[in-house]
Amino acid sequence: MAAKKFVLPFDEVSSKDSDRVGGKNAALGEMIRALKKQGVRVPDGFATTADAFRLFVRENKIDKKIRAEIRRLKKGSKSLAAAARALQALFLKSKFPEQVEEQIREAYRELCDRYEKRAVDVAVRSSATAEDLPEASFAGQQETYLNISGEDAVVDACRKCYASLFTDRAISYREEKEFDHLKVALSAGVQKMVRADKAGAGVMFSIDTESGFPRVVRISAAWGLGEVVVKGAANPDEYMVFKPLLGRNKTQPILEKSLGDKKRKVIYARNGRGTRTVNTTKKKRKSFVLNDAEILRLAKWACAIEDHYKKPMDIEWAKNGDKGEIFILQARPETVQALKKAGSLKTYRLKEKGKRLLSGLSIGDTIAAAKACRIQSTRELGKFKEGSILVTEMTDPDWGPIFKKTKGIITDLGGRTCHAAIVSRELGIPAVVGTGEATKVLRDGQEITLSCAEGDEGFVYEGLLDFAEEKVNLKKLPDTRTPIMLNIASPGGAFRWWKLPCDGIGLARIEFIIANRIQIHPMALVHFDELEDRDVRERIQNLTRDYKDKCDYFIDKLAQGIARIAAAQHPRPVIVRLSDFKTNEYAQLIGGEQFESREQNPMLGLPGASRYYHEKFRDAFCLECETIKRVRNELGLKNVIVMVPFCRTLDEADKVLHLLAENGLVRGRGGLEIYMMCEIPSNVVLAEKFAERFDGFSIGSNDLTQLVLGVDRDSAELAELFDERNEAVKDVVHEVIRSAHKKDCKVGICGEAPSNYPEFAAFLVKCGIDSISINPDRFVETKKIVAKAERKQ
């Protein structure tokens, strides 16, 4: 009779074996067996079985003692910490059954032979039989031991993994999730270490972790072992890849590359066992961990893993510094977005403004207002006041007892995949991580508002600000014949609205990207060496420090912003309006004062088309053209349509179209469409001739109303006169639709009028408008209004 197997090589394990080796180890075996042919690399190793754990418990006669300790804990006669210490001690002083220990040693020797080494360095990871389920992540509840070498050390690490099943955080977590402690077994996974200490490692998700947008891969990366990313001990690089265009010819759909400071890294300890944390060199801090080819390879692997498991996945990876190879270390189901109900959408918005104190990465999309509670370490957890917002440097699983009591989390360190981020998503509370200085800026007991409802960037405001929460049932929205599109300014906000059943983006404003992400006047980048203000030079130098060519900074940041917006709706059309700043707005950008003159009436001065071919600003427009080319050609987002604003005359239209063509943006080539804003009376009078030059019009109802009625749109005294429903305005709107349609030119509208005034929406429908574009928070109401108008026709 064959001896019972207490140890299984990973290549003999599949996803069906999670009850034998836990979810983590089952996933490793499944990937080795099923995804090797697709090039997905997983380090070799083996796993002890649940039977081995149960035999360990039984032969050491500690099962009764475990039951007794749990009873004392439930009765309250023993504290959680004391119970955990007692339970772990039971395991640590126990011995492995002889046959289990021998099988562990034999499996380790075979692993050494495979790598032709006397003592292979391995990671010994805990894999509980109830972990990594869709309803519970068990993130960091049990221990992992890195850089273990030698038979005795491996056996000892496996024993420690068993003991970690009863850490205070693991006990508390199972209590909260109502798992029976005695029905959970543990498997120790022993896996060849990847020399990430000489390269880098991180985490990736096959879904946008904040919005649930399913068509991107998010990757975090830091130098050294991946522990620094998971624990949030450093702010990592962040990369985002658009899945639908992966593998397409000549496209590199990397939507975003953000350089983290990566101040610390985890490497092997000098004695050859364990690990230690050290500071990262200045050169490494300023360098990306992954190159573009590696980012794309990891994204392809994430897609392959997701396709195999048929669900979004949370994946750890590492790069071998010796040979430059990348490996997948583990994969588990994503546990937050996967459980959110389809067909509904919750939105949050601030109803008042406040002084901004801090910013960082936003986790989730909610808002919290409460007093700050600053905690420096786990020794101070008893000081935490329930209902406060936790402020700390970083968190780890030992902070578990207070997470349920907090309204939000703010940290100095960490990226989107750090422990604080994972926990806050799971609990549905907002977090702003990686602020850099929260523990210095915020006072204990200070009233603050934490907002994650404004896109990728999260903000902390002074005081308790009022905010609104709205739940939208998307299943009950009526269908409309008229396409309803969105107006979007913030790239970070684009993914928030992906669930809305819209027909694309009718107006993507790039001014927000320039003002908030770029911040610098484009001409100050083109003529940096000629800048007169020393302080301006220093600020620009600091912002562009990662770019050899300062103009690349502008193109790169703008391309990333536009790409995010375009990807959110791909393959539906996304109409990107070229820059439409006025001179006074441009002057507010860093370095802008030197290049902008003071105009008496900036609204009628140099906004839009006139600026593009002006000798003073032509070079800035060329940067915008280069950006659009990159988004369409290199990233592959051909759904981007270009729109020219404030084009006064036919001659001006010809000049801009010629300049676009000179810069490689030829109307019709590669399917490129070019639209024009219709916002000046001359656009209406000459609509048929403009329609011969452009593929479509978008009516800017605010400016058109202002110029038809001669009313300053910003004048409080004339507010009653400013009304899109005025007969003169309606006449010009009807006329431009009629004229454009005569030339087979499409006409849409981007403005608030259709949602503010139901009768105006009905009028547009009657005129045969081709599309209506609206701000996202007015989408649902506008959809209903248009549907009602269509029914009445």
Side-chain angles (χ1 to χ4, degrees):
M1 185 176 172
K4 188 167 187 177
K5 280 194 170 186
F6 292 109
V7 173
L8 296 172
F10 283 150
D11 58 11
E12 290 183 19
V13 172
S14 74
S15 58
K16 296 176 183 176
D17 295 310
S18 58
D19 58 335
R20 297 176 71 195
V21 295
K24 194 177 295 177
N25 289 333
L28 287 171
E30 180 72 18
M31 286 189 292
I32 287 172
R33 287 159 61 111
L35 297 172
K36 203 170 185 177
K37 290 179 182 177
Q38 297 185 46
V40 178
R41 293 195 194 103
V42 179
D44 289 331
F46 58 88
T48 64
T49 65
D51 286 338
F53 176 84
R54 294 187 182 103
L55 184 62
F56 181 101
V57 170
R58 196 162 59 247
E59 284 208 359
N60 286 287
K61 298 178 181 177
I62 57 178
D63 45 348
K64 290 182 181 177
K65 294 175 183 176
I66 292 172
R67 290 191 184 94
E69 287 293 340
I70 294 296
R71 275 199 300 272
R72 291 189 194 102
L73 176 65
K74 287 180 179 287
K75 287 179 180 177
S77 59
K78 203 161 194 177
S79 71
L80 175 62
R85 283 195 300 271
L87 288 166
Q88 288 177 79
L90 292 174
F91 284 89
L92 294 175
K93 66 185 181 184
S94 296
K95 292 183 178 180
F96 271 99
E98 188 177 332
Q99 62 270 49
V100 176
E101 182 170 334
E102 182 49 40
Q103 288 187 29
I104 293 172
R105 290 178 180 274
E106 177 60 30
Y108 178 71
R109 287 194 290 268
E110 288 179 6
L111 193 63
C112 291
D113 290 343
R114 204 174 305 166
Y115 287 96
E116 299 179 351
K117 287 191 176 183
R118 189 170 58 83
V120 165
D121 47 347
V122 294
V124 183
R125 305 176 189 277
S126 306
S127 180
T129 57
E131 75 179 341
D132 295 336
L133 302 175
E135 68 274 9
S137 73
F138 280 71
Q141 297 311 312
Q142 282 81 47
E143 297 294 347
T144 291
Y145 299 92
L146 303 175
N147 193 24
I148 304 300
S149 181
E151 287 181 32
D152 293 343
V154 169
V155 171
D156 189 48
C158 289
R159 184 186 292 108
K160 288 177 180 176
C161 281
Y162 281 9
S164 75
L165 191 61
F166 288 95
T167 59
D168 50 0
R169 62 179 182 259
I171 296 168
S172 174
Y173 194 86
R174 287 195 296 274
E175 283 287 302
E176 181 190 312
K177 296 290 182 181
E178 298 182 352
F179 280 98
D180 186 333
H181 299 277
L182 298 169
K183 287 185 179 178
V184 178
L186 192 130
S187 163
V190 180
Q191 186 179 39
K192 172 72 177 74
M193 278 285 287
V194 176
R195 291 304 302 262
D197 60 310
K198 296 181 179 181
V203 178
M204 63 179 171
F205 287 84
S206 65
I207 190 173
D208 180 47
T209 48
E210 311 317 317
S211 66
F213 183 57
R215 300 202 294 161
V216 291
V217 174
R218 268 193 179 276
I219 304 171
S220 298
W223 297 112
L225 305 179
E227 184 181 353
V228 74
V229 177
V230 176
K231 288 190 174 180
N235 296 336
D237 293 345
E238 301 275 354
Y239 316 115
M240 185 187 293
V241 181
F242 188 51
K243 293 192 283 190
L245 297 180
L246 263 175
R248 298 275 184 93
N249 282 341
K250 297 180 181 177
T251 62
Q252 290 196 314
I254 301 172
L255 302 182
E256 192 169 292
K257 286 172 65 178
S258 174
L259 190 69
D261 63 26
K262 307 181 293 293
K263 287 183 181 178
R264 303 172 193 169
K265 67 174 180 175
V266 176
I267 60 171
Y268 283 10
R270 287 196 184 95
N271 61 12
R273 289 192 179 184
T275 61
R276 62 192 178 103
T277 302
V278 297
N279 291 331
T280 313
T281 64
K282 200 171 184 180
K283 183 179 178 181
K284 289 285 189 186
R285 287 178 61 183
K286 291 184 175 182
S287 303
F288 283 112
V289 175
L290 298 173
N291 61 38
D292 288 358
E294 290 166 336
I295 293 167
L296 294 170
R297 186 184 313 142
L298 272 175
K300 287 176 184 175
W301 287 2
C303 292
I305 294 167
E306 180 183 64
D307 289 346
H308 179 73
Y309 284 99
K310 303 289 189 289
K311 61 184 70 171
M313 298 296 286
D314 169 358
I315 303 158
E316 289 185 32
W317 62 271
K319 183 179 177 181
N320 188 332
D322 287 334
K323 296 183 179 179
E325 298 169 322
I326 296 177
F327 292 88
I328 299 299
L329 302 183
Q330 56 179 283
R332 52 186 164 255
E334 189 274 340
T335 58
V336 178
Q337 295 296 340
L339 295 178
K340 289 190 176 179
K341 291 180 181 177
S344 65
L345 180 70
K346 260 190 180 181
T347 64
Y348 296 80
R349 62 180 173 84
L350 287 172
K351 294 170 73 174
E352 55 182 328
K353 293 182 179 180
K355 180 184 176 183
R356 188 177 291 174
L357 303 174
L358 285 165
S359 66
L361 294 175
S362 68
I363 307 300
D365 56 6
T366 62
I367 298 173
K371 289 183 178 178
C373 188
R374 202 169 58 187
I375 301 289
Q376 299 292 348
S377 70
T378 51
R379 293 190 297 273
E380 299 179 351
L381 294 184
K383 289 169 48 182
F384 187 78
K385 295 170 185 172
E386 188 165 356
S388 301
I389 292 174
L390 172 64
V391 179
T392 188
E393 184 182 41
M394 64 180 188
T395 69
D396 61 38
D398 290 332
W399 293 65
I402 67 170
F403 286 136
K404 277 268 183 176
K405 300 175 183 177
T406 183
K407 280 191 169 184
I409 303 172
I410 304 169
T411 68
D412 289 343
L413 303 174
R416 295 192 183 282
T417 50
C418 72
H419 181 265
I422 291 169
V423 168
S424 64
R425 285 190 203 100
E426 193 165 299
L427 296 176
I429 59 174
V432 177
V433 300
T435 63
E437 54 182 2
T439 53
K440 295 177 183 175
V441 172
L442 301 177
R443 303 186 312 276
D444 195 49
Q446 182 179 2
E447 291 185 335
I448 56 172
T449 298
L450 186 166
S451 172
C452 292
E454 299 169 65
D456 267 0
E457 204 171 5
F459 300 105
V460 180
Y461 296 98
E462 189 174 65
L464 304 178
L465 304 182
D466 193 18
F467 62 92
E469 174 185 341
E470 184 183 355
K471 188 172 182 180
V472 180
N473 187 338
L474 301 176
K475 290 180 180 177
K476 294 183 179 179
L477 283 181
D479 291 328
T480 58
R481 295 190 303 276
T482 307
I484 309 297
M485 306 173 81
L486 300 180
N487 299 334
I488 293 286
S490 164
F495 285 179
R496 287 182 63 204
W497 308 102
W498 71 271
K499 288 184 181 179
L500 289 177
C502 65
D503 297 289
I505 292 174
L507 175 62
R509 304 181 182 96
I510 68 170
E511 293 80 33
F512 180 94
I513 305 170
I514 295 171
N516 291 275
R517 292 198 170 194
I518 296 172
Q519 302 178 46
I520 304 167
H521 194 291
M523 295 306 293
L525 295 167
V526 173
H527 297 290
F528 177 75
D529 293 335
E530 299 166 31
L531 292 176
E532 298 159 0
D533 189 313
R534 185 179 296 177
D535 180 56
V536 166
R537 286 176 64 91
E538 192 174 318
R539 290 174 70 190
I540 293 175
Q541 193 71 45
N542 187 47
L543 284 169
T544 62
R545 62 185 178 274
D546 301 321
Y547 293 83
K548 289 181 181 177
D549 185 331
K550 299 198 180 320
C551 290
D552 282 345
Y553 167 82
F554 184 93
I555 295 167
D556 199 39
K557 295 292 183 186
L558 185 56
Q560 287 183 23
I562 293 172
R564 275 286 292 270
I565 296 172
Q569 293 296 324
H570 185 273
R572 292 183 287 270
V574 171
I575 303 172
V576 177
R577 185 178 69 187
L578 298 167
S579 60
D580 197 26
F581 278 129
K582 300 167 187 66
T583 51
N584 57 325
E585 294 167 335
Y586 257 123
Q588 291 174 24
L589 297 174
I590 299 170
E593 288 283 356
Q594 185 172 325
F595 298 94
E596 300 295 335
S597 56
R598 295 187 181 276
E599 294 183 310
Q600 291 298 317
N601 190 342
M603 205 168 277
L604 294 177
L606 261 184
S610 299
R611 176 176 286 263
Y612 304 156
Y613 59 86
H614 194 287
E615 59 182 12
K616 284 176 62 178
F617 303 110
R618 182 184 175 120
D619 288 342
F621 182 65
C622 292
L623 297 184
E624 290 184 40
C625 294
E626 195 60 37
T627 300
I628 298 293
K629 278 198 301 183
R630 181 181 294 186
V631 172
R632 283 181 54 86
N633 301 336
E634 292 179 29
L635 276 67
L637 292 159
K638 300 283 190 182
N639 60 323
V640 166
I641 294 168
V642 173
M643 183 155 68
V644 179
F646 222 76
C647 186
R648 295 172 169 94
T649 69
L650 297 172
D651 181 54
E652 190 160 76
D654 291 335
K655 285 180 180 177
V656 172
L657 288 167
H658 179 72
L659 192 52
L660 284 166
E662 269 189 358
N663 282 277
L665 295 172
V666 181
R667 180 186 170 204
R669 184 185 294 173
L672 175 65
E673 291 187 284
I674 302 178
Y675 281 31
M676 184 189 85
M677 288 290 292
C678 178
E679 50 194 340
I680 306 169
S682 63
N683 300 153
V684 180
V685 175
L686 299 174
E688 290 187 35
K689 291 182 178 179
F690 276 112
E692 292 169 355
R693 290 162 168 80
F694 294 95
D695 297 288
F697 293 153
S698 183
I699 299 169
S701 59
N702 287 339
D703 274 351
L704 191 59
T705 301
Q706 172 177 250
L707 294 173
V708 167
L709 298 179
V711 176
D712 182 349
R713 56 192 275 192
D714 297 326
S715 170
E717 288 81 2
L718 299 175
E720 287 186 14
L721 289 176
F722 188 90
D723 191 338
E724 292 95 330
R725 296 168 298 177
N726 183 279
E727 188 176 353
V729 178
K730 289 173 73 175
D731 276 354
V732 296
V733 168
H734 181 265
E735 177 57 26
V736 78
I737 294 172
R738 186 190 65 78
S739 298
H741 283 175
K742 279 175 68 177
K743 294 290 184 178
D744 293 322
C745 185
K746 292 167 279 192
V747 188
I749 188 168
C750 50
E752 297 303 308
S755 57
N756 290 340
Y757 309 116
E759 64 271 34
F760 194 78
F763 160 73
L764 291 171
V765 169
K766 188 177 180 181
C767 290
I769 195 88
D770 293 302
S771 65
I772 294 173
S773 192
I774 204 73
N775 286 351
D777 59 347
R778 298 295 296 169
F779 176 85
V780 171
E781 191 59 33
T782 305
K783 188 92 168 162
K784 292 175 181 176
I785 290 168
V786 171
K788 187 176 180 181
E790 288 177 346
R791 285 194 300 270
K792 284 184 176 180
Q793 260 196 304

